[in-house]
Every structure is written in C-alpha cells, then in structure tokens.
Amino acid sequence: MQEERGKEGRGKEAGAGMEKAWSERRDMLERIRTSGASSGLVGDVRVDYDGTPTPLGQLAEISVPEARTLVIKPFDASVIKEGEKALMKSDLGISPESDGKVIRLTMPPLSGEQRKKYASKAKDLSEEGRVSLRNVRRDANKEADAHKKSGEVTEDGHKDLQDEIQKMLKAFEGKVGAAQDKKAKEILE
C-alpha cells in the first residue's frame, strides 16, 4: 500500500515537471509572430513602470478588434510613452501608433522569407520542449532507480513507474507536436 502511494507521488512529480516544461514551450510558441494579431505577442513585453520592468499584460488591456490589429489600453495613461518605447525595442518589427489613450499595432503581412524564419523558430522551440520533457523523464527514472535500489519499490513497481513516466512523456510530446503544427499552419497561411 505504501509502495503504491509512493509510486503515485513520484508519478505526480514527473507529471508536474512535464506540465511546467510544456506550458513554458506553449507560451514561447504563442509569442512567435504570425500574419494575424495575437495578444500573446505583446503580453510579456517588459515596460519600465516606476523603475520596474513589468509585463505589458499586467499594465494594460490587450484586445484584437480586427484580424491584424492589436489595441493596447493601459490602465494608467502614464504607461503609454513607456509602452511605445518597449514595443519599439521588442523584436516584433512593428511601429506602435498612439492617440494618447491607446496604442495600436497593425500587423503587416509576412514575406515568404519571414514565414520560413518564424516556422523554423517554432520548430526549434518545439524541439527544445521535447528535450526539456525528456530531461524530466530522465530525472524521474533516476529517482525511480534509486527507490528500487533502496528497496522502497519492487521490481514490478519500478517497471510500472517507468511505464507511467513514458506514457506521460508521449502525451506531452504529442501536445508539443500539435502546438508546433498549429503554429506552423498559422505562420504559413
């Protein structure tokens, strides 16, 4: 009974590590530019707010009123100038337009070369995600081996735990692959 609880706990730890690795990659993929507008593109742009670099998403409401337009409405109007500066410094390659109340970003269409570059970046980020997931699996398997060696887990329990970890890895790798495919489709349309 105690072995089962221990096995379950170790499996949950591996699952939590894989979930973290997956969500980090998903967020990074979301920030890759496509022809269309997405609030994920600018939400993490750091703005100097009272001397502290703060994500734009925490300082403003970001909306997508049209397919290629982002509207950023700061909660505090004093953020507009700093927001414009931060957006100009970001690697988006888009000039912000402001009327003193909101900042507008109009996404120009991507060239064929830009599309290939961004699709390649998505592929690289996805591969890094797979490597992160495999590192979590490696660490979880090392821990399982240590528990087997110390006698906390039987041979069958060890095998079951490794199988569970491998199933989780395959499920998360599937999520990474699906996110990459979706992003590539968005970029290349």
Side-chain angles (χ1 to χ4, degrees):
M1 185 80 155
Q2 185 172 357
E3 180 181 317
E4 287 300 313
R5 278 196 299 255
K7 213 170 47 171
E8 185 179 296
R10 287 183 283 280
K12 285 183 180 179
E13 288 173 19
M18 288 185 192
E19 180 65 40
K20 181 180 179 202
W22 150 243
S23 63
E24 287 173 358
R25 284 305 136 186
R26 182 189 60 220
D27 293 346
M28 291 175 139
L29 282 169
E30 191 176 286
R31 290 184 211 124
I32 295 176
R33 186 165 168 245
T34 63
S35 294
S38 166
S39 60
L41 292 172
V42 298
D44 286 334
V45 171
R46 300 287 176 168
V47 177
D48 183 26
Y49 184 66
D50 289 335
T52 305
T54 308
L56 187 58
Q58 293 180 10
L59 299 173
E61 178 185 335
I62 303 169
S63 61
V64 184
E66 298 172 15
R68 292 192 177 193
T69 305
L70 271 173
V71 175
I72 303 163
K73 184 177 181 183
F75 303 125
D76 178 358
S78 67
V79 173
I80 289 186
K81 290 290 181 208
E82 289 299 322
E84 285 181 284
K85 286 180 193 176
L87 289 166
M88 289 295 285
K89 289 180 186 176
S90 73
D91 64 351
L92 288 174
I94 303 167
S95 297
E97 302 166 8
S98 171
D99 63 6
K101 295 179 183 176
V102 296
I103 301 171
R104 292 187 197 292
L105 293 172
T106 303
M107 305 288 165
L110 295 174
S111 69
E113 187 177 312
Q114 288 172 317
R115 289 176 194 275
K116 288 178 186 174
K117 178 181 136 193
Y118 287 132
S120 176
K121 185 175 180 179
K123 182 179 178 184
D124 291 345
L125 284 173
S126 296
E127 187 53 37
E128 289 171 16
R130 288 182 189 91
V131 169
S132 295
L133 290 168
R134 291 177 192 137
N135 288 340
V136 172
R137 174 191 58 188
R138 179 199 62 219
D139 294 344
N141 281 337
K142 278 184 183 177
E143 186 178 335
D145 292 345
H147 288 291
K148 177 185 160 202
K149 188 175 181 179
S150 71
E152 293 176 50
V153 176
T154 65
E155 184 72 36
D156 288 342
H158 178 257
K159 177 72 173 127
D160 291 345
L161 185 56
Q162 286 185 318
D163 290 346
E164 181 184 342
I165 292 166
Q166 185 63 27
K167 282 181 190 175
M168 281 189 276
L169 173 70
K170 289 300 176 193
F172 279 104
E173 283 182 331
K175 288 180 180 184
V176 169
Q180 175 191 344
D181 292 345
K182 180 182 175 200
K183 191 59 155 184
K185 185 178 177 188
E186 289 173 4
I187 291 168
L188 298 173
E189 341 181 281

